[in-house]
């Protein structure tokens, strides 16, 4: 989730998540911003898991804002989670009066949980419609938070968390994929601001929806491919272990297992380069004779784990494809 003005790198954010990074004092507030967002995701995941009928409310939306702002700037006059008390002008767009923000949040929550976003078909026949309405409500929630601009700070993060919550609680989007639209907005930030401005200036809501849906579809395709590749890798690892277990345990079998696992899917490696695929493999073959590699390749080929040709050496990881679910088109 993008945080405006936060300059911590992806690697530093990953280290914060792992618990082994501490920012210098001058950037401690940026670390706190990241920790707040990570903790907010964890809270929402717990809420979705524990409450099968989680309802939206103005109070909950304010909680989202409080979670992302708490402790970031202790000296700020703005109170995290409280609606703004000042007017908002962004370019030619004039936000609603500050005194209307709470009422508008109440109306927004009621609308998003209302009949407009419930499937109209019969039970069991509405899965596609329900998914479409869920995505539509998440995008409109994001857009309306931007329009209402109810808080003095953190409106973008609040909108993304609300969008995430709507997708996650639906049960129609895996938790691991519920942040894909937010990630799309971050990766295409210039276009995001352009679409947001057009929605405000020209009332081009459909343009914003099309842009968000396009990003979600692309993200789901990439996410599905990554999951499939991970499953393929795990299946291959298990198959290699099962096949190699038929041979006596020895330095040779350990070396051969390492060779197979060093080969990347769909990549043919020239024979002279095989022994140096990894530092570990290079060390193993440095301690052997000149004919060892040939014997190892013959054994692995006989076991059906590799394919040897003039073009090079290839792992037979394609054997695992038959055990994976087909991709939808």
């Amino acid at each position: 989730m993008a945080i405006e003005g936060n300059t911590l790198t992806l690697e530093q954010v990953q280290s914060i998540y792992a618990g082994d990074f501490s920012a210098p004092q001058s950037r401690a507030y940026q670390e706190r911003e990241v920790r707040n967002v990570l903790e907010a995701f964890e809270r929402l995941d717990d809420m979705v898991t524990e409450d099968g009928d989680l309802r939206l409310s103005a109070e909950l939306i304010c909680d989202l804002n409080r979670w992302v702002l708490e402790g970031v700037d202790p000296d700020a006059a703005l109170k995290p989670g409280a609606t703004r008390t000042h007017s908002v002008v962004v370019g030619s767009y004039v936000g609603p009066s500050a005194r209307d923000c709470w009422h508008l949040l109440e109306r927004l929550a009621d609308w998003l949980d209302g009949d407009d976003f419930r499937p109209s078909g019969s039970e069991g026949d509405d899965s596609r419609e329900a998914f479409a309405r869920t995505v539509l409500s998440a995008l409109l929630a994001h857009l309306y938070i931007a329009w209402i601009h109810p808080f003095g700070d953190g409106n973008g993060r609040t909108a993304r968390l609300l969008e995430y919550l709507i997708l996650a609680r639906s049960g129609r989007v895996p938790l691991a994929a519920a942040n894909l639209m937010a990630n799309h907005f971050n990766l295409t930030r210039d276009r995001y601001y352009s679409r947001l401005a057009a929605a405000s200036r020209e009332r081009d809501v459909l343009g914003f929806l099309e842009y968000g849906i396009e990003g979600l579809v692309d993200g789901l395709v990439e996410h599905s491919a990554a999951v499939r590749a991970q499953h393929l890798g795990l299946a291959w690892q298990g198959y290699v272990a099962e096949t190699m277990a038929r041979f006596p345990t020895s330095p040779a079998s350990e070396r051969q297992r390492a060779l197979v696992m060093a080969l990347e899917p769909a990549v043919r490696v020239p024979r002279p380069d095989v022994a140096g695929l990894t530092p570990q493999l290079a060390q193993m073959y440095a301690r052997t004779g000149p004919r060892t590699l040939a014997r190892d390749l013959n054994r692995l080929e006989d076991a059906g784990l590799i394919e040897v040709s003039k073009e090079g050496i290839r792992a037979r990881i394609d054997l695992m494809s038959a055990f994976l679910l087909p991709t939808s088109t």
Side-chain angles (χ1 to χ4, degrees), residues 3-329:
I3 301 176
E4 191 73 25
N6 194 306
T7 57
L8 293 178
T9 65
L10 177 60
E11 290 73 19
Q12 289 171 328
V13 171
Q14 291 172 334
S15 296
I16 291 173
Y17 181 73
D20 54 9
F21 176 83
S22 181
Q25 186 60 37
S26 61
R27 300 177 68 191
Y29 74 96
Q30 292 189 341
E31 180 184 346
R32 181 59 187 264
E33 286 179 336
V34 171
R35 291 190 184 279
N36 281 357
V37 170
L38 293 174
E39 290 170 5
F41 277 125
E42 291 177 356
R43 288 184 181 186
L44 291 178
D45 289 349
D46 290 340
M47 292 170 66
V48 168
T49 302
E50 295 169 4
D51 189 348
D53 188 30
L54 182 63
R55 304 286 294 177
L56 302 180
S57 66
E59 290 85 357
L60 178 54
I61 297 173
C62 287
D63 282 342
L64 300 181
N65 182 260
R66 177 170 55 81
W67 295 346
V68 299
L69 293 181
E70 206 155 35
V72 172
D73 187 0
D75 299 324
L78 300 171
K79 183 180 178 182
T83 55
R84 59 180 166 84
T85 58
H86 57 275
S87 59
V88 168
V89 179
V90 180
S92 60
Y93 175 74
V94 180
S97 170
R99 65 175 178 269
D100 294 329
C101 286
W102 178 262
H103 173 65
L104 290 172
L105 288 180
E106 289 182 315
R107 291 286 303 275
L108 177 62
D110 290 342
W111 180 49
L112 294 172
D113 274 342
D115 292 338
D116 287 342
F117 299 105
R118 293 196 183 104
S120 58
S122 59
E123 193 72 25
D125 295 330
D126 60 1
S127 58
R128 291 187 179 184
E129 181 188 349
F131 176 76
R133 288 176 184 259
T134 296
V135 172
L136 182 63
S137 64
L139 283 167
L140 288 173
H142 186 119
L143 183 58
Y144 271 81
I145 290 296
W147 277 345
I148 300 170
H149 208 87
F151 307 107
D153 193 14
N155 288 281
R157 279 164 280 169
T158 304
R160 287 168 173 79
L161 284 176
L162 180 57
E163 167 193 297
Y164 174 87
L165 172 57
I166 291 172
L167 293 174
R169 71 169 183 170
S170 70
R172 299 177 180 91
V173 178
L175 288 179
N179 66 337
L180 291 177
M181 280 197 300
N183 188 53
H184 168 63
F185 295 152
N186 179 40
L187 293 174
T188 58
R189 193 174 301 183
D190 290 346
R191 193 176 175 206
Y192 166 73
Y193 287 124
S194 174
R195 289 292 191 179
L196 202 58
S200 302
R201 183 180 61 252
E202 304 166 13
R203 295 296 186 264
D204 183 18
V205 176
L206 290 179
F208 182 82
L209 295 178
E210 179 182 359
Y211 158 67
I213 292 169
E214 178 184 78
L216 177 62
V217 171
D218 288 348
L220 287 172
V221 169
E222 292 176 6
H223 182 75
S224 177
V227 170
R228 184 178 175 83
Q230 185 177 39
H231 286 180
L232 184 67
L234 291 173
W236 175 243
Q237 185 176 352
Y239 181 72
V240 170
E242 181 181 338
T243 302
M244 296 301 299
R246 299 201 298 263
F247 303 127
T249 301
S250 67
S253 62
E254 290 301 315
R255 186 179 60 245
Q256 291 154 11
R257 183 202 301 264
L259 190 158
V260 174
M261 298 311 300
L263 293 168
E264 296 183 14
V267 176
R268 291 187 182 275
V269 179
R271 192 185 186 103
D273 299 340
V274 170
L277 281 174
T278 68
Q280 177 198 18
L281 206 57
Q283 289 179 3
M284 287 179 168
Y285 280 105
R287 297 191 292 264
T288 65
R291 294 187 57 81
T292 301
L293 177 61
R295 288 196 297 268
D296 287 350
L297 292 176
N298 287 337
R299 188 185 203 185
L300 293 172
E301 185 178 25
D302 290 342
L305 293 175
I306 65 171
E307 179 184 280
V308 180
S309 67
K310 294 180 180 179
E311 290 75 23
I313 314 301
R314 180 181 72 88
R316 293 294 311 280
I317 194 170
D318 54 289
L319 296 171
M320 299 298 98
S321 299
F323 298 97
L324 298 180
L325 292 174
T327 56
S328 59
T329 56

